[in-house]
Amino acid sequence: MAAKTKKTKELSYKQASHRLDFTFKGIKSSADMEPCQQIIGQEKAMAAIRTGLKVKGRGYNIFISGISGTGRNTAIMHFLEQELKNVKPRLRDFCYVNNFKNEDKPRLLIFNPGDGRRFKRDMGYLISSIRKAVPKIFMSEDYKDRHSRVSREFEGRQKELIGNFEDRLTADGFVMVQLQSGMTTRNEIQPLVDGEPNSLDKLEKLAAEGNFSESKLDEFRRRWDSLRREFDVVSVESKKLSNKLDDALEKLDYSMIAPLITDKASLLRRRYQIDKVVSYLDEVEEALLSDLDRFREAQPRRGEQEAPPYRKREPFEEFSVNLILDHAETNAVPLVVEKSPSYKNLFGSLERVVDRFGYWRTDFTRIFTGSIIKATGGFLLVNAMDLLTEPGVWLNLKRSIRNSEVEIAAYDPFYMMAGAGIKPEPIPLDVKVVLIGQSDTYNLLWQWDEDFKRIFKIKAEFDSVIKLNKKNVKQYFRFIKLITDQVKLPEFDLSGMQAIAEYGQRLSGQRNKMTSRFSSIADLIKESALCAEQNKSKQVNRQDVECAVEQKKSRVNLIEEKVQEMYDNETLLVSTSGSATGQINGLAVYKVGEYSFGRPTRITASVSLGRAGIINVEREADLSGPIHTKGVLVLTGYLRNLFAQDKPMAMSASITFEQSYSGVDGDSASAAEIFVLISALTQIPIKQGIAITGSVNQHGEIQPIGGVNEKIEGFYDVCKSRRLTGSQGVIIPHQNVQELLLRSDVLEAVKKGKFHIYPIKKIEEGIEILTGKTAGKRIRNNKFTPGSVFAKADDKLRQMALLLDRFGKDAKPDNDSNKKHISKKKL
């Protein structure tokens, strides 16, 4: 006599439904809400960030992880702005100036906020005023008189010296003449013959011809030698007088200009009492006084306002100030977001230019700052993946954080711009770096980069879901108000706001959660407003939101429609009514880009006598993933534990997914595979109007799976396209009930009793739903409840074991006789 089955518990409409019904006093639409101004549901991440803000010391930089779309960038910016409102900023101005002792190593001057700009202006005024004042001194009557007196004094002495020598020449009958020698002239002493100067070479020729006296020629030679030596002495003395004149004029220039330059430099030294600034001003003063001729260069000519560029040499460029960081107008803690973290944008650069001679060159005036320097005293926000994909950036960032200083250098990995280079003094770094990236990126860096652990000690993880409670639902409503205000959209009524929240609940995949991917929610808000405009709704309501959701789905579900057509024309074979032995409907999820949908797939099993055990056809065909293979091995363990305690498993069985031509993975079909195996073994038919999803462990307990909503809706769509009979439904793990967020049409079918959802905990419950028979339980002597499915399976396995044992015994004598017969033939 067959045992009676217990009445199967299925989910009621109320249990399957998930519609939100949060109401707030005085709120009928988004017009009654205040815009959201805070981060929603990320308290844990915010606490981690606060810790990173407050802890002092190296290495407490922050890595913010979480999936994209959760508003990490916007949230962290808003959070930091709020947290840092009352924090006094630690700001400094940075200037690069010339190093007069080594121009290849520019000096860094550090000022309080605003002083860098003032110093640059003061230095500009210093040089400008000196450039204007010094030429006026050179043009003054006093300077001209002094210059003239000094010049006349030395010129008189020089003239007297030369005059005395010329008198000696005249007395000895000689004269000084100038001869052309190439492009120059030279002085030559020549004797006078008949009142005309003649060279000694000419007189020697005349003497050789007998036209000039040899004795007189010898006399001229002796006197010429004496005069020549005296001329050399006079030339040396004259040159000394010229040098003394230059020294005297230089001293005159120094005496008249030095007080002006010293007074102006001293004024700046008193104004900026910083050791490095004072040292720099001392060098500026020394450089200006050591080369006063620079004030005479590139002067405008008469009628010119300034000298033309081709006549300029920029003689005072080395006195300029390169202000690379100016906080004169900054009142808050710096918060810099670097969206393109290239080496140049992040660390600054050295610009190279071609000078007028065609050479590449650079100097301190061509040093440019980067975002990490701009963020000094504050925060730098960078996308982790953008940073890691830029060549050379990650290594230099680690070095800068580790050493607390930044070296600005030209990044040229291919040496294509080789030329003159400089090495500016490093800039002290006081910045907290905030990297924003995926959890996988964080884990990869933590595992493979030892420095990462030391310099990013704070991890703030943004969750993709938040709790579903009245507080967060209200924040959702306020977020809707924020978007409608920002984009100038129509207001949402209460039903529309609840529909938005339900969509967030659906995206989370759990009834007690809501998604925190607010970029997706913002998109739906905008698209719902468009639907409201098309439907001519004054306010966006639930129907408009559902319209937007449907339109969003229709843009990406082409593959789903094509697959559904294959079910409709029976290209894909699935039964949704009647019963069949060794055949069951499993459920699978297909993922195409951002869109997922579920559809049934036929699973079949065949059983025969043998010792091969359970053969996974997908595995034998190299189409089984590792998780699916594990699921088949687990169900094998379950069957052995259930039926092979007093006998061997004398069975060869094969399981396959029919019409599956690509890889299969996951263990969500392991429960279905147990059911179809038992059906094939016992020849008890399975109801084809019910599909099954769920994994199983070796004790027969049903375990939760993923994609439960898509799977249920997928089977419902196939059943609906073939006509709902009222006996169709889906078996799911009981743990997945809390994840049920089904479409309204599926819930309506459940409400009317046309579609059923059965949550189960054990394999036995599923057997009774699928077969209408009692599964049974183990009783004494490893037997099962009489007339139950398990009892029939156990009996069948026992018969198979006996048959296999008998077959082995019957075959053994035949084998022995064959051996004897063969041996006789050999003999």
Side-chain angles (χ1 to χ4, degrees):
M1 182 177 178
K4 293 183 180 180
T5 61
K6 295 180 181 179
K7 187 176 180 180
T8 305
K9 290 184 179 180
E10 65 176 279
L11 291 182
S12 66
Y13 168 76
K14 185 176 181 180
Q15 291 171 321
S17 178
H18 64 93
R19 179 161 290 185
L20 298 181
D21 192 24
F22 285 103
T23 57
F24 302 94
K25 186 177 180 180
I27 297 176
K28 295 182 179 180
S29 71
S30 58
D32 302 322
M33 306 291 296
E34 290 294 326
C36 180
Q37 300 295 336
Q38 64 186 61
I39 300 169
I40 303 174
Q42 301 289 355
E43 290 79 10
K44 185 176 181 180
M46 295 303 103
I49 294 173
R50 287 190 185 94
T51 301
L53 295 180
K54 294 178 181 178
V55 175
K56 306 298 180 183
R58 294 184 182 181
Y60 284 91
N61 299 289
I62 304 169
F63 191 104
I64 298 177
S65 67
I67 63 174
S68 60
T70 52
R72 295 167 302 174
N73 294 11
T74 305
I76 187 62
M77 284 293 294
H78 178 75
F79 175 76
L80 290 176
E81 287 171 357
Q82 296 299 318
E83 288 288 316
L84 302 174
K85 270 185 178 179
N86 300 321
V87 177
K88 186 177 180 181
R90 308 183 308 276
L91 304 176
R92 291 176 292 178
D93 290 350
F94 295 139
C95 298
Y96 272 112
V97 294
N98 185 37
N99 184 344
F100 293 95
K101 296 180 179 179
N102 187 349
E103 292 187 353
D104 290 338
K105 295 183 178 180
R107 287 186 173 178
L108 176 70
L109 301 182
I110 302 175
F111 297 93
N112 291 325
D115 286 349
R117 182 185 293 184
R118 285 191 290 272
F119 182 73
K120 181 175 181 176
R121 183 178 62 242
D122 290 344
M123 279 298 298
Y125 176 76
L126 170 69
I127 300 301
S128 176
S129 61
I130 292 174
R131 292 186 70 175
K132 291 178 181 178
V134 171
K136 290 180 181 178
I137 292 175
F138 287 150
M139 299 298 293
S140 65
E141 293 299 325
D142 182 34
Y143 176 80
K144 289 179 180 178
D145 289 343
R146 294 188 183 188
H147 188 281
S148 179
R149 286 199 300 271
V150 173
S151 298
R152 286 199 303 271
E153 178 185 351
F154 282 92
E155 287 173 358
R157 292 167 61 184
Q158 193 174 38
K159 187 175 181 180
E160 180 182 357
L161 178 65
I162 295 174
N164 292 336
F165 179 68
E166 288 179 346
D167 291 342
R168 172 71 186 279
L169 289 176
T170 303
D172 287 348
F174 282 80
V175 68
M176 182 73 70
V177 297
Q178 287 186 335
L179 301 177
Q180 191 73 27
S181 178
M183 299 295 294
T184 61
T185 59
R186 60 184 177 86
N187 295 322
E188 181 64 43
I189 301 173
Q190 292 185 353
L192 290 172
V193 179
D194 297 330
E196 294 292 332
N198 289 275
S199 66
L200 291 178
D201 293 339
K202 182 178 179 181
L203 295 178
E204 287 176 354
K205 287 183 180 181
L206 292 175
E209 296 172 355
N211 296 324
F212 192 76
S213 170
E214 289 284 351
S215 59
K216 198 168 185 179
L217 177 61
D218 292 339
E219 181 65 24
F220 277 143
R221 283 176 179 159
R222 286 193 298 274
R223 280 186 283 171
W224 185 89
D225 289 339
S226 175
L227 292 172
R228 184 64 193 180
R229 287 193 295 272
E230 190 174 344
F231 174 70
D232 291 340
V233 172
V234 169
S235 297
V236 171
E237 291 297 324
S238 176
K239 195 168 185 179
K240 288 181 179 180
L241 289 174
S242 297
N243 293 335
K244 290 180 179 179
L245 173 62
D246 292 340
D247 291 341
L249 293 176
E250 188 175 333
K251 289 180 180 179
L252 173 63
D253 293 347
Y254 187 88
S255 64
M256 297 196 70
I257 296 173
L260 170 69
I261 295 176
T262 301
D263 288 346
K264 290 185 177 295
S266 297
L267 178 64
L268 292 188
R269 278 192 285 263
R270 290 192 297 272
R271 186 174 299 173
Y272 302 97
Q273 297 182 9
I274 304 172
D275 292 342
K276 290 189 70 174
V277 177
V278 170
S279 299
Y280 170 70
L281 291 171
D282 291 342
E283 292 184 9
V284 168
E285 180 181 349
E286 182 182 350
L288 287 170
L289 293 175
S290 64
D291 185 12
L292 296 177
D293 287 338
R294 72 171 71 239
F295 294 99
R296 295 187 174 92
E297 296 180 7
Q299 293 299 314
R301 295 174 181 171
R302 186 175 298 176
E304 292 179 341
Q305 293 297 321
E306 84 179 294
Y310 63 84
R311 216 167 356 101
K312 282 184 176 181
R313 187 175 164 267
E314 294 298 339
F316 294 90
E317 187 176 25
E318 65 266 38
F319 300 101
S320 60
V321 176
N322 183 5
L323 177 61
I324 66 167
L325 186 61
D326 181 14
H327 283 306
E329 299 175 2
T330 304
N331 300 316
V333 175
L335 194 57
V336 180
V337 179
E338 182 52 70
K339 297 180 180 179
S340 179
S342 64
Y343 191 95
K344 178 180 178 181
N345 292 344
L346 198 59
F347 301 108
S349 64
L350 298 177
E351 180 186 302
R352 290 190 177 103
V353 296
V354 180
D355 63 16
R356 57 181 177 171
F357 300 108
Y359 294 104
W360 288 101
R361 71 178 186 88
T362 186
D363 55 39
F364 73 96
T365 64
R366 291 173 174 80
I367 301 174
F368 295 92
T369 189
S371 53
I372 195 171
I373 300 171
K374 294 176 184 176
T376 298
F379 296 83
L380 173 68
L381 276 67
V382 190
N383 182 279
M385 190 54 65
D386 289 345
L387 185 142
L388 291 171
T389 53
E390 288 288 343
V393 171
W394 176 243
L395 290 176
N396 205 54
L397 177 65
K398 292 194 301 179
R399 187 182 302 117
S400 299
I401 295 175
R402 188 171 59 244
N403 300 331
S404 296
E405 63 181 25
V406 179
E407 292 187 6
I408 300 179
Y411 181 67
D412 185 17
F414 303 108
Y415 302 100
M416 297 183 68
M417 300 288 288
I422 59 175
K423 187 176 182 181
E425 190 175 343
I427 297 175
L429 186 65
D430 177 20
V431 64
K432 280 191 181 291
V433 180
V434 180
L435 288 186
I436 302 173
Q438 303 285 350
S439 297
D440 290 345
T441 305
Y442 178 88
N443 296 335
L444 185 67
L445 290 171
W446 181 269
Q447 182 177 0
W448 296 104
D449 194 327
E450 289 296 326
D451 293 329
F452 179 77
K453 303 174 184 178
R454 293 192 291 268
I455 61 179
F456 284 93
K457 297 181 179 180
I458 300 296
K459 180 186 180 184
E461 192 161 10
F462 273 59
D463 199 349
S464 60
V465 294
I466 59 176
K467 290 182 179 180
L468 175 60
N469 51 38
K470 199 166 185 177
K471 175 184 175 184
N472 286 339
V473 170
K474 190 173 184 179
Q475 291 299 327
Y476 250 64
F477 291 178
R478 293 182 65 189
F479 179 76
I480 294 171
K481 176 62 175 175
L482 175 68
I483 300 300
T484 55
D485 286 354
Q486 286 179 346
V487 194
K488 309 299 181 186
L489 301 176
E491 301 294 344
F492 280 63
D493 68 10
L494 185 58
S495 68
M497 292 192 294
Q498 287 180 338
I500 291 290
E502 289 171 10
Y503 180 77
Q505 184 187 26
R506 167 87 183 204
L507 289 184
S508 74
Q510 301 177 62
R511 286 187 172 187
N512 60 346
K513 302 287 185 181
M514 303 170 75
T515 185
S516 61
R517 299 181 66 178
F518 287 100
S519 61
S520 299
I521 301 301
D523 292 341
L524 182 63
I525 293 170
K526 298 168 189 174
E527 293 167 18
S528 300
L530 177 61
C531 287
E533 181 182 342
Q534 294 170 348
N535 297 334
K536 297 182 180 179
S537 304
K538 291 183 179 180
Q539 290 185 326
V540 184
N541 54 41
R542 176 178 291 276
Q543 288 71 30
D544 298 322
V545 175
E546 291 176 351
C547 170
V549 173
E550 191 60 32
Q551 289 183 1
K552 182 188 286 287
K553 175 183 174 181
S554 67
R555 292 195 294 268
V556 293
N557 73 338
L558 180 61
I559 299 298
E560 181 183 19
E561 293 177 353
K562 297 294 184 183
V563 171
Q564 182 60 48
E565 289 178 6
M566 297 174 74
Y567 285 105
D568 293 341
N569 59 29
E570 296 188 357
T571 301
L572 291 176
L573 302 178
V574 169
S575 300
T576 57
S577 61
S579 299
T581 302
Q583 177 178 302
I584 195 170
N585 290 326
L587 294 171
V589 173
Y590 300 82
K591 189 171 182 64
V592 183
E594 61 179 310
Y595 184 65
S596 299
F597 64 94
R599 284 296 182 269
T601 182
R602 176 177 288 178
I603 303 174
T604 61
S606 64
V607 177
S608 67
L609 194 66
R611 298 185 184 278
I614 299 174
I615 300 172
N616 178 4
V617 174
E618 267 66 34
R619 180 183 180 184
E620 298 301 316
D622 290 332
L623 293 176
S624 177
I627 300 177
H628 177 252
T629 300
K630 177 186 176 183
V632 175
L633 295 175
V634 168
L635 74 88
T636 302
Y638 167 72
L639 293 175
R640 286 172 177 166
N641 180 59
L642 191 64
F643 298 117
Q645 300 301 309
D646 57 354
K647 58 186 172 300
M649 289 279 287
M651 174 183 71
S652 292
S654 62
I655 302 176
T656 185
F657 286 73
E658 301 292 353
Q659 293 183 289
S660 174
Y661 308 108
S662 59
V664 175
D665 203 4
D667 62 352
S668 64
S670 57
E673 290 168 336
I674 287 177
F675 297 138
V676 75
L677 270 172
I678 292 176
S679 173
L681 180 65
T682 62
Q683 293 298 298
I684 297 175
I686 290 176
K687 297 175 183 178
Q688 298 300 294
I690 298 177
I692 171 71
T693 182
S695 71
V696 67
N697 62 24
Q698 294 189 107
H699 299 290
E701 297 172 331
I702 303 297
Q703 301 173 144
I705 43 80
V708 64
N709 295 294
E710 290 84 355
K711 291 176 178 178
I712 295 174
E713 292 169 352
F715 188 63
Y716 171 82
D717 289 339
V718 173
C719 292
K720 182 180 178 183
S721 70
R722 298 183 176 186
R723 189 179 64 85
L724 293 173
T725 63
S727 60
Q728 294 149 333
V730 175
I731 296 174
I732 64 171
H734 73 98
Q735 301 96 326
N736 286 116
V737 171
Q738 63 181 352
E739 299 174 5
L740 289 182
L741 301 161
L742 299 171
R743 296 194 318 248
S744 58
D745 58 334
V746 180
L747 291 173
E748 189 65 24
V750 171
K751 184 177 183 180
K752 294 179 179 179
K754 293 183 178 181
F755 195 76
H756 309 274
I757 300 174
Y758 304 99
I760 64 172
K761 297 181 179 180
K762 299 283 288 184
I763 286 292
E764 291 84 345
E765 298 175 45
I767 289 175
E768 294 178 356
I769 295 170
L770 290 168
T771 65
K773 300 180 182 297
T774 301
K777 60 181 180 180
R778 191 187 298 275
I779 56 178
R780 61 184 179 276
N781 299 326
N782 287 318
K783 301 294 184 179
F784 293 90
T785 307
S788 66
V789 174
F790 283 167
K792 289 184 179 181
D794 187 60
D795 290 343
K796 182 66 174 179
L797 288 171
R798 191 178 303 279
Q799 292 172 17
M800 294 173 73
L802 292 172
L803 283 172
L804 187 62
D805 182 61
R806 187 180 307 137
F807 177 79
K809 290 179 179 178
D810 292 343
K812 192 171 183 181
D814 294 339
N815 293 336
D816 293 341
S817 62
N818 288 338
K819 289 180 181 178
K820 293 177 180 178
H821 178 68
I822 293 171
S823 63
K824 287 179 179 179
K825 286 183 70 174
K826 286 184 178 178
L827 291 172

